[in-house]
Amino acid sequence: MIKCANCGKDVPAPANFCCDCGTTLAILSVNPENSTSQASGKIGDLNGDGKIDWEDFKIALSKSKKYASDKVNDVVSLAQDKMKSAQEKDAAAVEELVKTFEKDVQIERSESQVNREKFQSALTSTIDVKFAEIMVSKKETEAYLTYVDAQILTAKVRGIFKNVLSVTPPQVEAACLLSETILAPSTKDKENNIKAAIGIAGGTAGIGIVIGAIGSALGWGAGIIATLGAWFVGTSIAGPIGWGAAGLSLAVIAGYFASTSNQQTDTERFLRVLKSSIVRAVDAIWLQYETELSRVVTQADNDDEKK
């Protein structure tokens, strides 16, 4: 039931106006989404010794310090904008509603969620800025990523996890390999990447959501995503014998990663796949590595506070 602000009568929740006095009611339903804020920072290149400059990622990570409060403010702002007309009629009711939204958002967002999203935000920021650095060095007629460029970007991602965990989790490695497959120059190269991804991550917990993220970014249908996810698991168990299971083969799977005739389009497809699959890979590994990854987030916040 909703109480009419004009006459105080109780009105059934679905109603848009008071049945007693006819006053229009202020009704709002907001479902905050867990969006990822974009951090920013200067991202360096591979060092001469092949190691990733760890300070780059920490710079990006520290920019997410106020993410939690910003998220609450965003949701409150959205509520206020949508309620603008109602505010003019009943400011008190709107203020109470906004307070409820803020309370709900704070309850839903645990410290673990905030840390995970900060880490994911820093990852996508690192990819975006590194991409920009690569493009700046290119001629106008070559404004697209090559296979080598793709490998440089995925090396940056792998290096972040190696610095934190000393290893690259198989879900992350699979996301990198399958992202590179989009810009692989030949069908053979694509097949080799797919085989490597299966060998490293096939059957691993969470590989399904990584495949789902890739499929969504490339526009696959739900059926293809489900079939390919099952194929990855089955092939990892059966080995090469499983490559022809369910009527699929390496050549067929490679076809799903086929390049288009437009290099700029393929560049955009690669970036979408890399960022979305890496974010979902972090979701998949978070429970296993939460302590280590959260420690990095906390340290970045502490360092930022000291400045």
Side-chain angles (χ1 to χ4, degrees):
M1 301 292 284
I2 300 174
K3 189 174 292 294
C4 176
N6 183 50
C7 67
K9 297 288 186 179
D10 289 332
V11 183
N16 293 320
F17 58 89
C18 177
C19 300
D20 190 70
C21 67
T23 299
T24 300
L25 303 177
I27 300 175
L28 178 63
S29 176
V30 175
N31 293 314
E33 298 178 354
N34 288 328
S35 62
T36 303
S37 66
Q38 291 298 313
S40 62
K42 187 177 185 298
I43 307 301
D45 204 339
L46 289 172
N47 295 327
D49 57 4
K51 296 182 179 179
I52 302 295
D53 185 356
W54 176 232
E55 293 302 316
D56 295 336
F57 180 71
K58 291 199 290 185
I59 291 173
L61 187 56
S62 68
K63 300 301 180 181
S64 298
K65 175 184 174 184
K66 297 182 179 179
Y67 178 77
S69 59
D70 288 344
K71 177 63 177 177
V72 172
N73 291 337
D74 289 344
V75 176
V76 172
S77 177
L78 174 62
Q80 291 173 331
D81 288 341
K82 289 189 175 182
M83 292 289 292
K84 186 173 182 179
S85 60
Q87 283 178 324
E88 298 172 355
K89 299 177 180 179
D90 196 344
V94 173
E95 183 178 355
E96 187 63 30
L97 186 59
V98 170
K99 289 180 180 179
T100 300
F101 291 152
E102 181 174 357
K103 179 180 178 182
D104 289 342
V105 171
Q106 290 173 331
I107 291 175
E108 291 173 1
R109 291 175 54 74
S110 66
E111 181 180 359
S112 176
Q113 288 174 310
V114 171
N115 286 340
R116 184 183 69 222
E117 290 171 8
K118 282 184 178 181
F119 192 87
Q120 290 168 325
S121 174
L123 278 173
T124 56
S125 175
T126 299
I127 293 170
D128 283 335
V129 181
K130 184 59 182 177
F131 164 70
E133 288 185 353
I134 292 174
M135 297 303 291
V136 165
S137 66
K138 291 180 175 289
K139 299 177 181 178
E140 187 175 346
T141 56
E142 300 175 349
Y144 54 83
L145 293 178
T146 65
Y147 187 42
V148 172
D149 295 329
Q151 292 174 318
I152 291 173
L153 277 163
T154 55
K156 172 69 74 174
V157 172
R158 291 181 178 99
I160 290 169
F161 286 94
K162 287 180 180 177
N163 272 285
V164 181
L165 307 173
S166 298
V167 297
T168 301
Q171 298 90 336
V172 173
E173 183 63 30
C176 290
L177 284 169
L178 294 176
S179 298
E180 292 171 8
T181 302
I182 296 170
L183 295 180
S186 69
T187 299
K188 186 65 175 177
D189 291 319
K190 294 180 188 294
E191 291 182 1
N192 287 338
N193 276 15
I194 293 169
K195 283 193 289 186
I198 293 171
I200 292 170
T204 302
I207 189 63
I209 66 171
V210 173
I211 297 298
I214 292 171
S216 296
L218 289 176
W220 298 346
I224 294 177
I225 293 174
T227 300
L228 190 54
W231 184 80
F232 259 77
V233 175
T235 300
S236 68
I237 297 174
I241 296 176
W243 291 349
L248 298 175
S249 66
L250 283 173
V252 172
I253 301 303
Y256 292 138
F257 292 85
S259 302
T260 70
S261 58
N262 188 298
Q263 291 164 313
Q264 283 78 18
T265 298
D266 288 335
T267 294
E268 294 172 0
R269 292 168 74 229
F270 165 77
L271 290 172
R272 285 200 308 271
V273 168
L274 179 60
K275 288 192 284 187
S276 61
S277 63
I278 287 299
V279 165
R280 296 314 302 272
V282 172
D283 287 338
I285 68 173
W286 189 256
L287 288 179
Q288 181 179 359
Y289 296 109
E290 179 178 356
T291 300
E292 295 90 338
L293 299 180
S294 293
R295 186 182 299 121
V296 174
V297 174
T298 301
Q299 183 61 52
D301 284 345
N302 292 339
D303 291 345
D304 197 46
E305 289 178 358
K306 294 177 182 178
K307 295 179 180 179

